[in-house]
Amino acid sequence: MSTGHAPDWMNFIDPTGKFQVKHQGAYPVVQAIVTNQDKVLAEGGAMISMHDELDLTYTRNGTSSGCCNTCLRCCCAEESLFLTEYLPKPTAPPNVGLDLLLSPSLPGFVVLLHLDGQTKWRLSPGAYLCGDPGVTVGATVQDCAKGCCSGEGFVILTAEGTGRM
């Protein structure tokens, strides 16, 4: 699979093993393995369950994009104002993967994208589920013709950076 291209949705693999689709279909479940040196950002309300040694907090993803972009993503693109950040507690055993199960709020398939730091992706509103901390999710406003005629609305999500989403 080459970077910058969407993989075949039935045949994608995370070579690191951090993300794995445990159940695909109308109501998919994604397992994320979080280690001491890592964390996962997810859309608010996506957690099904998490290991007891994981801690959660919230963050405003894309701090460089500013407060207006964060509000635009929340109010107009069906995303949360804040993202939930899952990271191991200080008491977590070292070098052990801690399970986190996530599921989107809308039915549909889950696709893993590898962002290479050069390609910027555009997503339908509500499409973001989770990703690496190196991925920044924002929103952009389409022009009047695209907003009225595309069926996607005036505000769509953007994703860029390095990592998996």
Side-chain angles (χ1 to χ4, degrees):
M1 171 174 29
S2 60
T3 54
H5 295 86
D8 179 1
W9 60 270
M10 290 300 283
N11 187 22
F12 69 87
I13 296 172
D14 179 6
T16 67
K18 180 178 179 179
F19 296 102
Q20 182 180 4
V21 176
K22 294 305 235 181
H23 174 74
Q24 191 65 277
Y27 299 98
V29 175
V30 175
Q31 178 186 31
I33 305 294
V34 188
T35 63
N36 289 57
Q37 298 80 27
D38 204 5
K39 60 184 170 182
V40 170
L41 297 177
E43 182 64 17
M47 181 190 67
I48 296 173
S49 65
M50 69 179 195
H51 191 281
D52 187 49
E53 288 294 327
L54 282 175
D55 200 3
L56 61 96
T57 183
Y58 60 91
T59 183
R60 190 186 75 189
N61 184 261
T63 54
S64 62
S65 61
C67 186
C68 290
N69 193 284
T70 302
C71 289
L72 186 66
R73 190 180 76 232
C74 172
C75 297
C76 303
E78 302 172 25
E79 298 292 323
S80 299
L81 181 61
F82 296 100
L83 295 177
T84 306
E85 182 178 65
Y86 299 92
L87 60 159
K89 293 179 181 177
T91 58
N95 303 320
V96 174
L98 305 173
D99 286 344
L100 169 65
L101 294 179
L102 303 164
S103 184
S105 59
L106 299 173
F109 285 89
V110 173
V111 176
L112 177 69
L113 296 176
H114 296 271
L115 281 75
D116 59 8
Q118 298 174 3
T119 305
K120 190 174 190 177
W121 287 88
R122 294 182 182 253
L123 310 169
S124 294
Y128 177 77
L129 176 61
C130 64
D132 286 323
V135 175
T136 302
V137 179
T140 188
V141 179
Q142 300 193 95
D143 63 39
C144 188
K146 289 179 186 175
C148 289
C149 301
S150 70
E152 294 297 330
F154 284 98
V155 179
I156 58 173
L157 296 174
T158 59
E160 59 186 324
T162 305
R164 293 142 307 194
M165 160 178 90

mmCIF file of all heavy atoms in Angstrom, residues 74-98:
data_model
loop_
_atom_site.group_PDB
_atom_site.id
_atom_site.type_symbol
_atom_site.label_atom_id
_atom_site.label_comp_id
_atom_site.label_asym_id
_atom_site.label_seq_id
_atom_site.Cartn_x
_atom_site.Cartn_y
_atom_site.Cartn_z
ATOM 1 N N CYS A 74 -16.961 21.789 15.339
ATOM 2 C CA CYS A 74 -17.976 21.337 16.296
ATOM 3 C C CYS A 74 -19.386 21.708 15.848
ATOM 4 O O CYS A 74 -20.269 20.866 15.816
ATOM 5 C CB CYS A 74 -17.688 21.943 17.662
ATOM 6 S SG CYS A 74 -18.985 21.665 18.873
ATOM 7 N N CYS A 75 -19.594 22.944 15.506
ATOM 8 C CA CYS A 75 -20.940 23.442 15.226
ATOM 9 C C CYS A 75 -21.454 23.066 13.840
ATOM 10 O O CYS A 75 -22.656 22.905 13.655
ATOM 11 C CB CYS A 75 -20.969 24.957 15.370
ATOM 12 S SG CYS A 75 -20.588 25.505 17.049
ATOM 13 N N CYS A 76 -20.550 22.936 12.872
ATOM 14 C CA CYS A 76 -21.004 22.770 11.496
ATOM 15 C C CYS A 76 -20.585 21.465 10.839
ATOM 16 O O CYS A 76 -21.043 21.154 9.746
ATOM 17 C CB CYS A 76 -20.487 23.925 10.645
ATOM 18 S SG CYS A 76 -20.980 25.544 11.274
ATOM 19 N N ALA A 77 -19.695 20.710 11.454
ATOM 20 C CA ALA A 77 -19.213 19.486 10.812
ATOM 21 C C ALA A 77 -19.475 18.244 11.659
ATOM 22 O O ALA A 77 -18.816 17.226 11.499
ATOM 23 C CB ALA A 77 -17.724 19.605 10.507
ATOM 24 N N GLU A 78 -20.423 18.326 12.581
ATOM 25 C CA GLU A 78 -20.887 17.175 13.352
ATOM 26 C C GLU A 78 -19.788 16.484 14.155
ATOM 27 O O GLU A 78 -19.820 15.276 14.361
ATOM 28 C CB GLU A 78 -21.561 16.159 12.423
ATOM 29 C CG GLU A 78 -22.726 16.716 11.650
ATOM 30 C CD GLU A 78 -23.263 15.760 10.611
ATOM 31 O OE1 GLU A 78 -23.083 14.537 10.772
ATOM 32 O OE2 GLU A 78 -23.852 16.231 9.642
ATOM 33 N N GLU A 79 -18.794 17.229 14.625
ATOM 34 C CA GLU A 79 -17.717 16.680 15.443
ATOM 35 C C GLU A 79 -17.776 17.301 16.829
ATOM 36 O O GLU A 79 -18.425 18.322 17.048
ATOM 37 C CB GLU A 79 -16.352 16.968 14.806
ATOM 38 C CG GLU A 79 -16.162 16.342 13.438
ATOM 39 C CD GLU A 79 -16.082 14.828 13.466
ATOM 40 O OE1 GLU A 79 -15.497 14.281 14.419
ATOM 41 O OE2 GLU A 79 -16.597 14.195 12.544
ATOM 42 N N SER A 80 -17.075 16.710 17.779
ATOM 43 C CA SER A 80 -17.031 17.239 19.139
ATOM 44 C C SER A 80 -16.142 18.471 19.210
ATOM 45 O O SER A 80 -15.193 18.603 18.429
ATOM 46 C CB SER A 80 -16.475 16.185 20.100
ATOM 47 O OG SER A 80 -17.278 15.055 20.111
ATOM 48 N N LEU A 81 -16.425 19.329 20.171
ATOM 49 C CA LEU A 81 -15.571 20.496 20.394
ATOM 50 C C LEU A 81 -14.188 20.036 20.841
ATOM 51 O O LEU A 81 -13.173 20.568 20.418
ATOM 52 C CB LEU A 81 -16.199 21.418 21.439
ATOM 53 C CG LEU A 81 -15.443 22.694 21.761
ATOM 54 C CD1 LEU A 81 -15.311 23.571 20.526
ATOM 55 C CD2 LEU A 81 -16.163 23.457 22.860
ATOM 56 N N PHE A 82 -14.157 19.013 21.681
ATOM 57 C CA PHE A 82 -12.896 18.470 22.174
ATOM 58 C C PHE A 82 -12.761 17.018 21.750
ATOM 59 O O PHE A 82 -13.764 16.332 21.550
ATOM 60 C CB PHE A 82 -12.833 18.546 23.709
ATOM 61 C CG PHE A 82 -12.849 19.941 24.227
ATOM 62 C CD1 PHE A 82 -14.018 20.497 24.724
ATOM 63 C CD2 PHE A 82 -11.693 20.707 24.220
ATOM 64 C CE1 PHE A 82 -14.039 21.794 25.205
ATOM 65 C CE2 PHE A 82 -11.707 22.003 24.702
ATOM 66 C CZ PHE A 82 -12.878 22.550 25.195
ATOM 67 N N LEU A 83 -11.543 16.564 21.627
ATOM 68 C CA LEU A 83 -11.262 15.153 21.387
ATOM 69 C C LEU A 83 -10.859 14.516 22.706
ATOM 70 O O LEU A 83 -10.254 15.165 23.556
ATOM 71 C CB LEU A 83 -10.128 14.993 20.367
ATOM 72 C CG LEU A 83 -10.425 15.494 18.957
ATOM 73 C CD1 LEU A 83 -9.199 15.332 18.074
ATOM 74 C CD2 LEU A 83 -11.602 14.760 18.353
ATOM 75 N N THR A 84 -11.199 13.250 22.864
ATOM 76 C CA THR A 84 -10.790 12.523 24.060
ATOM 77 C C THR A 84 -9.396 11.969 23.819
ATOM 78 O O THR A 84 -9.130 11.384 22.772
ATOM 79 C CB THR A 84 -11.772 11.380 24.369
ATOM 80 O OG1 THR A 84 -13.092 11.923 24.447
ATOM 81 C CG2 THR A 84 -11.423 10.721 25.687
ATOM 82 N N GLU A 85 -8.531 12.173 24.797
ATOM 83 C CA GLU A 85 -7.144 11.708 24.709
ATOM 84 C C GLU A 85 -6.981 10.551 25.692
ATOM 85 O O GLU A 85 -7.262 10.696 26.881
ATOM 86 C CB GLU A 85 -6.217 12.865 25.067
ATOM 87 C CG GLU A 85 -4.761 12.576 24.976
ATOM 88 C CD GLU A 85 -3.940 13.816 25.308
ATOM 89 O OE1 GLU A 85 -4.008 14.271 26.467
ATOM 90 O OE2 GLU A 85 -3.262 14.311 24.413
ATOM 91 N N TYR A 86 -6.567 9.396 25.178
ATOM 92 C CA TYR A 86 -6.357 8.209 26.003
ATOM 93 C C TYR A 86 -4.863 7.968 26.139
ATOM 94 O O TYR A 86 -4.164 7.836 25.137
ATOM 95 C CB TYR A 86 -7.020 6.980 25.361
ATOM 96 C CG TYR A 86 -8.510 7.135 25.216
ATOM 97 C CD1 TYR A 86 -9.065 7.650 24.046
ATOM 98 C CD2 TYR A 86 -9.362 6.777 26.244
ATOM 99 C CE1 TYR A 86 -10.432 7.796 23.910
ATOM 100 C CE2 TYR A 86 -10.735 6.922 26.114
ATOM 101 C CZ TYR A 86 -11.251 7.436 24.947
ATOM 102 O OH TYR A 86 -12.613 7.592 24.822
ATOM 103 N N LEU A 87 -4.380 7.915 27.373
ATOM 104 C CA LEU A 87 -2.966 7.671 27.616
ATOM 105 C C LEU A 87 -2.801 6.834 28.876
ATOM 106 O O LEU A 87 -3.654 6.859 29.760
ATOM 107 C CB LEU A 87 -2.185 8.972 27.712
ATOM 108 C CG LEU A 87 -2.558 9.978 28.790
ATOM 109 C CD1 LEU A 87 -1.377 10.894 29.036
ATOM 110 C CD2 LEU A 87 -3.741 10.806 28.349
ATOM 111 N N PRO A 88 -1.705 6.074 28.960
ATOM 112 C CA PRO A 88 -1.502 5.228 30.139
ATOM 113 C C PRO A 88 -1.304 6.055 31.400
ATOM 114 O O PRO A 88 -0.707 7.130 31.369
ATOM 115 C CB PRO A 88 -0.224 4.451 29.806
ATOM 116 C CG PRO A 88 -0.091 4.544 28.332
ATOM 117 C CD PRO A 88 -0.690 5.848 27.939
ATOM 118 N N LYS A 89 -1.821 5.527 32.514
ATOM 119 C CA LYS A 89 -1.583 6.153 33.815
ATOM 120 C C LYS A 89 -0.112 5.968 34.183
ATOM 121 O O LYS A 89 0.544 5.059 33.687
ATOM 122 C CB LYS A 89 -2.463 5.497 34.881
ATOM 123 C CG LYS A 89 -3.936 5.738 34.706
ATOM 124 C CD LYS A 89 -4.727 5.020 35.786
ATOM 125 C CE LYS A 89 -6.220 5.238 35.604
ATOM 126 N NZ LYS A 89 -7.011 4.488 36.599
ATOM 127 N N PRO A 90 0.422 6.811 35.066
ATOM 128 C CA PRO A 90 1.814 6.630 35.505
ATOM 129 C C PRO A 90 2.060 5.265 36.159
ATOM 130 O O PRO A 90 3.180 4.773 36.153
ATOM 131 C CB PRO A 90 2.025 7.760 36.516
ATOM 132 C CG PRO A 90 0.993 8.782 36.182
ATOM 133 C CD PRO A 90 -0.171 8.030 35.605
ATOM 134 N N THR A 91 1.003 4.645 36.686
ATOM 135 C CA THR A 91 1.153 3.343 37.349
ATOM 136 C C THR A 91 1.056 2.170 36.374
ATOM 137 O O THR A 91 1.185 1.023 36.787
ATOM 138 C CB THR A 91 0.060 3.181 38.420
ATOM 139 O OG1 THR A 91 -1.225 3.314 37.785
ATOM 140 C CG2 THR A 91 0.214 4.218 39.523
ATOM 141 N N ALA A 92 0.830 2.448 35.089
ATOM 142 C CA ALA A 92 0.685 1.375 34.101
ATOM 143 C C ALA A 92 1.999 0.612 33.947
ATOM 144 O O ALA A 92 3.077 1.211 33.989
ATOM 145 C CB ALA A 92 0.263 1.956 32.756
ATOM 146 N N PRO A 93 1.936 -0.697 33.786
ATOM 147 C CA PRO A 93 3.164 -1.473 33.601
ATOM 148 C C PRO A 93 3.872 -1.057 32.307
ATOM 149 O O PRO A 93 3.216 -0.812 31.302
ATOM 150 C CB PRO A 93 2.679 -2.922 33.531
ATOM 151 C CG PRO A 93 1.216 -2.853 33.302
ATOM 152 C CD PRO A 93 0.742 -1.519 33.744
ATOM 153 N N PRO A 94 5.195 -0.968 32.334
ATOM 154 C CA PRO A 94 5.927 -0.547 31.138
ATOM 155 C C PRO A 94 5.874 -1.605 30.039
ATOM 156 O O PRO A 94 5.786 -2.797 30.314
ATOM 157 C CB PRO A 94 7.357 -0.345 31.650
ATOM 158 C CG PRO A 94 7.443 -1.188 32.872
ATOM 159 C CD PRO A 94 6.067 -1.232 33.462
ATOM 160 N N ASN A 95 5.901 -1.126 28.804
ATOM 161 C CA ASN A 95 5.969 -1.985 27.611
ATOM 162 C C ASN A 95 4.818 -2.983 27.513
ATOM 163 O O ASN A 95 4.996 -4.090 27.029
ATOM 164 C CB ASN A 95 7.312 -2.716 27.554
ATOM 165 C CG ASN A 95 8.469 -1.739 27.578
ATOM 166 O OD1 ASN A 95 8.414 -0.694 26.942
ATOM 167 N ND2 ASN A 95 9.493 -2.062 28.329
ATOM 168 N N VAL A 96 3.654 -2.600 28.005
ATOM 169 C CA VAL A 96 2.465 -3.441 27.903
ATOM 170 C C VAL A 96 1.416 -2.673 27.109
ATOM 171 O O VAL A 96 1.155 -1.499 27.383
ATOM 172 C CB VAL A 96 1.915 -3.809 29.307
ATOM 173 C CG1 VAL A 96 0.597 -4.549 29.190
ATOM 174 C CG2 VAL A 96 2.925 -4.627 30.073
ATOM 175 N N GLY A 97 0.810 -3.330 26.127
ATOM 176 C CA GLY A 97 -0.245 -2.703 25.353
ATOM 177 C C GLY A 97 -1.561 -2.741 26.101
ATOM 178 O O GLY A 97 -1.984 -3.798 26.570
ATOM 179 N N LEU A 98 -2.194 -1.593 26.240
ATOM 180 C CA LEU A 98 -3.462 -1.481 26.962
ATOM 181 C C LEU A 98 -4.598 -1.327 25.952
ATOM 182 O O LEU A 98 -4.535 -0.482 25.058
ATOM 183 C CB LEU A 98 -3.421 -0.292 27.915
ATOM 184 C CG LEU A 98 -2.250 -0.289 28.906
ATOM 185 C CD1 LEU A 98 -2.209 1.017 29.679
ATOM 186 C CD2 LEU A 98 -2.341 -1.474 29.847
#
